[in-house]
Amino acid sequence: GEGRTERRVPISGVRRRVATRLKEAQNTLALLTTFQEADLSASLDIRNKHKDLFQKTHGAQLGLLSFIVKASATGLMDIPGVNGVIDDAASQVVYRDYVDIAVPIPSPRGPVTCTLRSVEKKSILEIERELAQLADKARKDALSLDDLSPASFGISDSGSAGGMLGTCFVNPPASAMLGTNAVKQRASVVGGKVVARPMMYLSLTYDHRLVDGREAATFLVSVRDKLEDPSRLLLDL
């Protein structure tokens, strides 16, 4: 009918390469997802209380992502299987003693996945400074290949687009990806009373060939506990 048209555009080389890698990963990994919810009252209280002084003192913004990155890095050191990978060619499992985390960085062309290296050694301040440097490079279209290098773990963020709950896609050589979502006021039972709390649903999509369900759930509970009580991050608990 009139006005019913179609428009065809060539698939870009980048999108074609990404599509190929996605299918390769889907055909190789045995992906499962487990879910958890976190009450972010304490994390948001710390951020809101200290963000102005933090920026004045250190010249960096204080956001939730650095808390999530640090909580993940600590959990990965405790549960090394989630940070490992199967080397199919050698029929071996590779356990890493370092944590490289891929995170979404905003850019004029949309989010870009960049890698924070050796996160297990870094403080929240160091993570925030590195996130700011990557965001600045992305704005200037000056990201290096090292910034985009493969990671041992990934964090996705559908919350910035309003996503409530979802699964992720794991990008090898990682074996797991943490999904973060929008923070919403939801009913929560605290001390036997129903109260409104800022809640976030978390997900962990993982390669079930390497990571069993108990490890995945334990890791996700570890991340939740650290976000609900950020003092654990200071005390390595």
Side-chain angles (χ1 to χ4, degrees):
E2 196 173 327
R4 287 170 54 82
T5 61
E6 293 180 348
R7 184 168 58 93
R8 292 176 177 250
V9 297
I11 298 175
S12 71
V14 171
R15 183 167 289 276
R16 193 161 55 243
R17 177 61 183 146
V18 168
T20 301
R21 281 186 59 82
L22 288 174
K23 282 308 298 177
E24 286 173 353
Q26 188 179 45
N27 293 340
T28 302
L29 309 184
L31 297 177
L32 282 183
T33 304
T34 187
F35 300 94
Q36 191 52 259
E37 63 178 356
D39 179 348
L40 296 188
S41 299
S43 289
L44 290 172
D45 284 347
I46 287 179
R47 189 192 69 173
N48 294 336
K49 181 178 179 181
H50 298 296
K51 64 180 180 180
D52 292 337
L53 183 59
F54 188 88
Q55 182 154 20
K56 181 180 177 183
T57 305
H58 301 301
Q61 292 188 344
L62 182 60
L64 269 180
L65 181 56
S66 57
F67 286 72
I68 295 168
V69 167
K70 185 63 180 173
S72 298
T74 307
L76 290 167
M77 294 304 287
D78 292 339
I79 307 170
V82 184
N83 193 47
V85 67
I86 291 178
D87 183 341
D88 288 288
S91 296
Q92 295 176 332
V93 177
V94 181
Y95 292 103
R96 297 141 165 155
D97 60 3
Y98 59 87
V99 176
D100 293 348
I101 299 182
V103 294
I105 298 295
S107 80
R109 287 184 278 183
V112 180
T113 300
C114 298
T115 300
L116 303 172
R117 302 172 75 82
S118 300
V119 186
E120 78 284 358
K121 299 176 182 176
K122 292 176 178 172
S123 66
I124 284 177
L125 170 59
E126 290 170 318
I127 293 167
E128 283 292 1
R129 282 179 170 160
E130 194 165 344
L131 289 171
Q133 289 169 359
L134 289 169
D136 186 55
K137 285 171 137 183
R139 271 193 304 273
K140 297 173 181 175
D141 202 17
L143 290 168
S144 67
L145 285 175
D146 194 51
D147 296 327
L148 306 171
S149 60
S152 63
F153 184 75
I155 295 174
S156 73
D157 175 26
S158 67
S160 57
M164 183 186 83
L165 187 63
T167 61
C168 309
F169 207 92
V170 177
N171 189 19
S175 293
M177 171 86 81
L178 178 73
T180 64
N181 296 280
V183 180
K184 297 287 186 184
Q185 290 286 330
R186 293 194 185 93
S188 180
V189 179
V190 180
K193 296 181 179 179
V194 178
V195 294
R197 289 294 180 97
M199 306 296 292
M200 177 193 281
Y201 290 123
L202 301 167
S203 68
L204 183 75
T205 300
Y206 57 97
D207 184 357
H208 196 30
R209 299 179 306 156
L210 175 61
V211 182
D212 63 32
R214 184 174 179 276
E215 282 181 310
T218 302
F219 170 79
L220 210 47
V221 166
S222 169
V223 172
R224 179 204 66 190
D225 289 347
K226 291 171 175 62
L227 294 177
E228 291 191 339
D229 183 5
S231 60
R232 287 170 173 257
L233 296 174
L234 302 175
L235 303 173
D236 290 330
L237 297 174

